[in-house]
Amino acid sequence: MRIALITGASRGIGRAIAKKYAENGLHCVLVARSVKDLEETDDIINSVGGSATIVPLDLMKHDMIDSLAASIYEKYGRLDVLVGNAGMLGGLSPIAHIKPEAWNNVISLNLTANYRLIRAFDSLLRLSDAGRAIFVTSGITARSEAYWGAYAASKAALEMMAKTYASEVEFTKVRVNLVSPGIVNTAMRAQAFPGENKDSLANPDDVSDIFIKLASPEFNDNGKIFTAD
Ligand code: NJP
């Protein structure tokens, strides 16, 4: 059974990815902070006949990521699929008005935690027959939109980091790609656009197919950004 670790699996897009992986026979390691919401994801996975392990973890406590990798190595001896999905918007405001702490938090979760995941799990992905790393970015990196500075900068840097990692593993069995999910009805979207009519938005389950494709051992593209449609 292939082992997949999904960050931000307690709700939204991460939960939908985990459900899709479980439906396709992968064992899911579910990472996020909220135990209650992780348990809900676990219930959903059980209801589709899948299996999961819950790991309540604040990804901004970066050293805990090393401990998680050690536990997964001990239990499985490898990691087959890593999905770096957890992210935060931070506030939307002019760059000159962003508080240093808010800036640091966005970079800490959206960028540095994913660097720490690569650092901690690179050797475990190489131990897999077909290690796959997938990072979730955003369409915002193609624009320069006022007030989205911290979030957009964190995602642009994430893209460059993941593409660089892809170049470094080019001659191994590991493949590294990114997904830009589009506009999806989640808590993060509601934070950015509180008054929006949600009826026309995609739901998280609508964007999960691409994550199955990129996790497959047969999928050999490397260092690319895919959209969910
Ligand atoms: O967001 P949301 P989405 N440590 O807020 C977790 C990107 N994206 O599903 O810790 C560990 O529902 C949090 O769990 P919890 C976006 O940038 C989206 O929309 O329990 N986990 C929850 O599971 C992001 O990279 C849209 O609060 C932490 C998850 O992260 C990805 O899609 C458009 C954490 C966030 O779930 C998923 O976002 C786009 C921490 N410190 C890109 N802090 C869109 N929705 O339209 C948060 O272009 N989490």
mmCIF file of all heavy atoms in Angstrom, residues 38-56:
data_model
loop_
_atom_site.group_PDB
_atom_site.id
_atom_site.type_symbol
_atom_site.label_atom_id
_atom_site.label_comp_id
_atom_site.label_asym_id
_atom_site.label_seq_id
_atom_site.Cartn_x
_atom_site.Cartn_y
_atom_site.Cartn_z
ATOM 1 N N LEU A 38 -9.396 16.848 12.106
ATOM 2 C CA LEU A 38 -8.659 15.688 11.560
ATOM 3 C C LEU A 38 -9.473 14.407 11.768
ATOM 4 O O LEU A 38 -9.510 13.534 10.891
ATOM 5 C CB LEU A 38 -7.297 15.544 12.252
ATOM 6 C CG LEU A 38 -6.205 16.528 11.818
ATOM 7 C CD1 LEU A 38 -5.003 16.439 12.757
ATOM 8 C CD2 LEU A 38 -5.762 16.259 10.378
ATOM 9 N N GLU A 39 -10.127 14.326 12.928
ATOM 10 C CA GLU A 39 -10.952 13.133 13.193
ATOM 11 C C GLU A 39 -12.112 13.052 12.208
ATOM 12 O O GLU A 39 -12.509 11.969 11.794
ATOM 13 C CB GLU A 39 -11.456 13.160 14.645
ATOM 14 C CG GLU A 39 -10.366 12.726 15.606
ATOM 15 C CD GLU A 39 -10.747 12.885 17.074
ATOM 16 O OE1 GLU A 39 -11.810 13.493 17.364
ATOM 17 O OE2 GLU A 39 -9.979 12.420 17.920
ATOM 18 N N GLU A 40 -12.643 14.214 11.852
ATOM 19 C CA GLU A 40 -13.720 14.235 10.856
ATOM 20 C C GLU A 40 -13.218 13.720 9.499
ATOM 21 O O GLU A 40 -13.902 12.974 8.806
ATOM 22 C CB GLU A 40 -14.242 15.659 10.699
ATOM 23 C CG GLU A 40 -15.723 15.779 11.012
ATOM 24 C CD GLU A 40 -16.163 17.240 10.978
ATOM 25 O OE1 GLU A 40 -16.210 17.817 9.886
ATOM 26 O OE2 GLU A 40 -16.438 17.791 12.057
ATOM 27 N N THR A 41 -12.009 14.139 9.123
ATOM 28 C CA THR A 41 -11.419 13.631 7.870
ATOM 29 C C THR A 41 -11.228 12.115 7.984
ATOM 30 O O THR A 41 -11.512 11.369 7.034
ATOM 31 C CB THR A 41 -10.062 14.313 7.582
ATOM 32 O OG1 THR A 41 -10.246 15.721 7.546
ATOM 33 C CG2 THR A 41 -9.485 13.850 6.248
ATOM 34 N N ASP A 42 -10.767 11.674 9.147
ATOM 35 C CA ASP A 42 -10.569 10.234 9.368
ATOM 36 C C ASP A 42 -11.890 9.478 9.214
ATOM 37 O O ASP A 42 -11.945 8.408 8.595
ATOM 38 C CB ASP A 42 -9.975 10.023 10.765
ATOM 39 C CG ASP A 42 -9.559 8.586 11.006
ATOM 40 O OD1 ASP A 42 -9.070 7.934 10.055
ATOM 41 O OD2 ASP A 42 -9.717 8.103 12.143
ATOM 42 N N ASP A 43 -12.978 10.053 9.746
ATOM 43 C CA ASP A 43 -14.311 9.425 9.620
ATOM 44 C C ASP A 43 -14.698 9.305 8.141
ATOM 45 O O ASP A 43 -15.226 8.278 7.707
ATOM 46 C CB ASP A 43 -15.383 10.255 10.351
ATOM 47 C CG ASP A 43 -15.244 10.146 11.859
ATOM 48 O OD1 ASP A 43 -14.533 9.237 12.329
ATOM 49 O OD2 ASP A 43 -15.839 10.995 12.563
ATOM 50 N N ILE A 44 -14.444 10.365 7.389
ATOM 51 C CA ILE A 44 -14.780 10.355 5.956
ATOM 52 C C ILE A 44 -13.986 9.254 5.259
ATOM 53 O O ILE A 44 -14.513 8.495 4.432
ATOM 54 C CB ILE A 44 -14.493 11.743 5.327
ATOM 55 C CG1 ILE A 44 -15.477 12.781 5.870
ATOM 56 C CG2 ILE A 44 -14.564 11.682 3.806
ATOM 57 C CD1 ILE A 44 -15.112 14.225 5.546
ATOM 58 N N ILE A 45 -12.710 9.145 5.605
ATOM 59 C CA ILE A 45 -11.851 8.131 4.982
ATOM 60 C C ILE A 45 -12.336 6.721 5.343
ATOM 61 O O ILE A 45 -12.408 5.839 4.482
ATOM 62 C CB ILE A 45 -10.378 8.381 5.386
ATOM 63 C CG1 ILE A 45 -9.871 9.579 4.575
ATOM 64 C CG2 ILE A 45 -9.511 7.153 5.182
ATOM 65 C CD1 ILE A 45 -8.474 10.010 4.876
ATOM 66 N N ASN A 46 -12.707 6.534 6.601
ATOM 67 C CA ASN A 46 -13.253 5.225 6.994
ATOM 68 C C ASN A 46 -14.528 4.917 6.230
ATOM 69 O O ASN A 46 -14.764 3.772 5.831
ATOM 70 C CB ASN A 46 -13.522 5.186 8.510
ATOM 71 C CG ASN A 46 -12.228 5.144 9.297
ATOM 72 O OD1 ASN A 46 -11.222 4.620 8.814
ATOM 73 N ND2 ASN A 46 -12.231 5.704 10.494
ATOM 74 N N SER A 47 -15.350 5.951 6.014
ATOM 75 C CA SER A 47 -16.637 5.734 5.336
ATOM 76 C C SER A 47 -16.465 5.322 3.869
ATOM 77 O O SER A 47 -17.366 4.743 3.282
ATOM 78 C CB SER A 47 -17.528 6.976 5.452
ATOM 79 O OG SER A 47 -17.066 7.969 4.556
ATOM 80 N N VAL A 48 -15.298 5.639 3.280
ATOM 81 C CA VAL A 48 -15.058 5.200 1.896
ATOM 82 C C VAL A 48 -14.175 3.942 1.867
ATOM 83 O O VAL A 48 -13.652 3.561 0.820
ATOM 84 C CB VAL A 48 -14.456 6.321 1.002
ATOM 85 C CG1 VAL A 48 -15.391 7.508 0.927
ATOM 86 C CG2 VAL A 48 -13.071 6.752 1.479
ATOM 87 N N GLY A 49 -13.978 3.342 3.047
ATOM 88 C CA GLY A 49 -13.228 2.079 3.108
ATOM 89 C C GLY A 49 -11.722 2.245 3.125
ATOM 90 O O GLY A 49 -10.977 1.283 2.914
ATOM 91 N N GLY A 50 -11.260 3.472 3.414
ATOM 92 C CA GLY A 50 -9.817 3.714 3.425
ATOM 93 C C GLY A 50 -9.241 3.689 4.826
ATOM 94 O O GLY A 50 -9.942 3.414 5.801
ATOM 95 N N SER A 51 -7.928 3.982 4.921
ATOM 96 C CA SER A 51 -7.283 4.009 6.230
ATOM 97 C C SER A 51 -6.395 5.244 6.348
ATOM 98 O O SER A 51 -5.836 5.717 5.362
ATOM 99 C CB SER A 51 -6.432 2.744 6.426
ATOM 100 O OG SER A 51 -5.360 2.733 5.511
ATOM 101 N N ALA A 52 -6.329 5.751 7.592
ATOM 102 C CA ALA A 52 -5.565 6.982 7.816
ATOM 103 C C ALA A 52 -4.921 6.969 9.190
ATOM 104 O O ALA A 52 -5.341 6.232 10.074
ATOM 105 C CB ALA A 52 -6.480 8.198 7.693
ATOM 106 N N THR A 53 -3.887 7.792 9.334
ATOM 107 C CA THR A 53 -3.260 8.050 10.631
ATOM 108 C C THR A 53 -3.322 9.557 10.852
ATOM 109 O O THR A 53 -2.951 10.331 9.960
ATOM 110 C CB THR A 53 -1.765 7.621 10.612
ATOM 111 O OG1 THR A 53 -1.691 6.257 10.202
ATOM 112 C CG2 THR A 53 -1.135 7.785 11.974
ATOM 113 N N ILE A 54 -3.812 9.948 12.025
ATOM 114 C CA ILE A 54 -3.924 11.375 12.345
ATOM 115 C C ILE A 54 -2.654 11.876 13.029
ATOM 116 O O ILE A 54 -2.173 11.244 13.967
ATOM 117 C CB ILE A 54 -5.121 11.582 13.302
ATOM 118 C CG1 ILE A 54 -6.439 11.427 12.551
ATOM 119 C CG2 ILE A 54 -5.059 12.932 13.958
ATOM 120 C CD1 ILE A 54 -7.631 11.578 13.469
ATOM 121 N N VAL A 55 -2.127 12.996 12.561
ATOM 122 C CA VAL A 55 -0.961 13.612 13.210
ATOM 123 C C VAL A 55 -1.261 15.079 13.489
ATOM 124 O O VAL A 55 -1.094 15.937 12.612
ATOM 125 C CB VAL A 55 0.302 13.507 12.325
ATOM 126 C CG1 VAL A 55 1.497 14.130 13.045
ATOM 127 C CG2 VAL A 55 0.603 12.070 11.942
ATOM 128 N N PRO A 56 -1.736 15.393 14.708
ATOM 129 C CA PRO A 56 -1.970 16.797 15.041
ATOM 130 C C PRO A 56 -0.627 17.505 15.209
ATOM 131 O O PRO A 56 0.191 17.091 16.040
ATOM 132 C CB PRO A 56 -2.718 16.729 16.378
ATOM 133 C CG PRO A 56 -3.105 15.295 16.552
ATOM 134 C CD PRO A 56 -2.107 14.491 15.803
#
